[in-house]
Amino acid sequence: MLLGQAMATAERQTGVACPDCGLFQRLPVISRRQIAECRRCARLLAGPAAGRVEAPLALALAALLLLLPATVAPLLVVSSHGAARTSWLWSGIAGLWRAGFAPLAAVVGAFSVAFPYLYLAALIGVLASLLLGMRAHVGPVFRWVIRLRPWVMLEIFLVGCFVAYSRLHLVVGVHVLAGGWCLMGATSALLLALTQFDERTVWEALPLRPRSRRRRHVRGYPSRPDTAVRAIACTVCGLLVTAAHAAGGCPRCGAALHDRKPHAFTVTAALVAAGFLLYVPANVLPVLTLVSFGHEQSNTIITGVLELIHNRLWPLALIVFLASIVLPLLKLCGLTWMLLSTLQGSRRALIARTRFFRFIDTVGSWSNIDVFVTSVLVALLKFGAIAQARAGGGLTAFAAVVILTMIATRTFDTRLMWDAQRRG
Ligand SMILES: [Zn+2]
Ligand SMILES: [Zn+2]
């Protein structure tokens, strides 16, 4: 029995299919400090943090413990002409809600408060279960941890707070309070936890569902694909499952198994088309109206960047310009390029396209900075006719573009580009 388990583990360590290009290959046994990349598209298949559980668990616990005071203690205080306004983590959500921007309030609340709590609690649960040897039912929970990660935007919210702080600093007195320092600590601990953490460590420690252990797992996946048993790779945990037994889902993480993501091309094309349509109002309509001594000034995204330049806040202007204007356009145009070249079965720049997809998938959520900046400004600048900030209609369209393009990078399957060039 023990030997059987050891064999299954050994097989899991060697046979992999690249999630980006679909190439079946054997993963060499690597030491710490080494990484393993796909030999065709250079996708990282095994990271340098393999085998660590205690360090990421301790850091995730620290992040959760720091997030609690960051939620209940005030983050910032602003003062103008003897009056003061204090902001909590949830103040921006309440401000947007009261101003009639309920969908935006829900988005900010989910990305900056609800999802970070859910993510940290689930991650701690998974790592603690591994440490205590309680591995049943951990697979489906860890599947959701991985799916939730792109939507946890604590670090982006923090940068948004910093941009808002810098803009406020020009017109009113502003100070960071205890909650703000705890938020910085929680974000740093979370990011550090993720550098000490390797998904494969968790997956390789988890058992397959008992009834399917022998039948579904592809044993000793051959290195020559023409002699291989037809297999499907789980897109979440990477397990190889024989196609004949894929109907019941992945025996390790419970995800539905498909040779390629279903309807990937049409769903992504529809999302990209909707993204292009919304990109116009997102950039034409005002996202923020600032009132200063009775004088109203409506800012679109680009005039907001110009205002930062005018006030000599060059680094912040560059961050907001790249995140809010360049990145959404890069995602929309990049996905269009990928969809068109898939349609044509093109072989040109296939590796570059795959790498470019990884880039937009990794940095895509940073476009939300402007949404967070506005939520902080709306919560803090409430001095009536002296100084006030109001969200504009363009912000809803902008948030929709960001979310649609993030979903589009999830629905697209880069393996379709590699399949298409073979057919082409
Ligand atoms: Zn690859
Ligand atoms: Zn799986």
Side-chain angles (χ1 to χ4, degrees), residues 18 20-23 25 38 40-43:
C18 173
D20 284 355
C21 71
L23 181 72
Q25 55 209 290
C38 170
R40 190 159 68 174
C41 74
R43 151 92 188 215

Side-chain angles (χ1 to χ4, degrees), residues 237-294:
C237 72
L239 186 74
L240 297 176
V241 180
T242 51
H245 298 104
C250 174
R252 187 159 63 182
C253 73
L257 291 170
H258 303 282
D259 197 24
R260 296 294 179 258
K261 292 180 188 173
H263 314 296
F265 189 92
T266 42
V267 174
T268 310
L271 289 166
V272 169
F276 269 119
L277 285 176
L278 286 163
Y279 189 78
V280 179
N283 281 279
V284 172
L285 295 176
V287 292
L288 179 70
T289 300
L290 289 169
V291 182
S292 179
F293 294 101

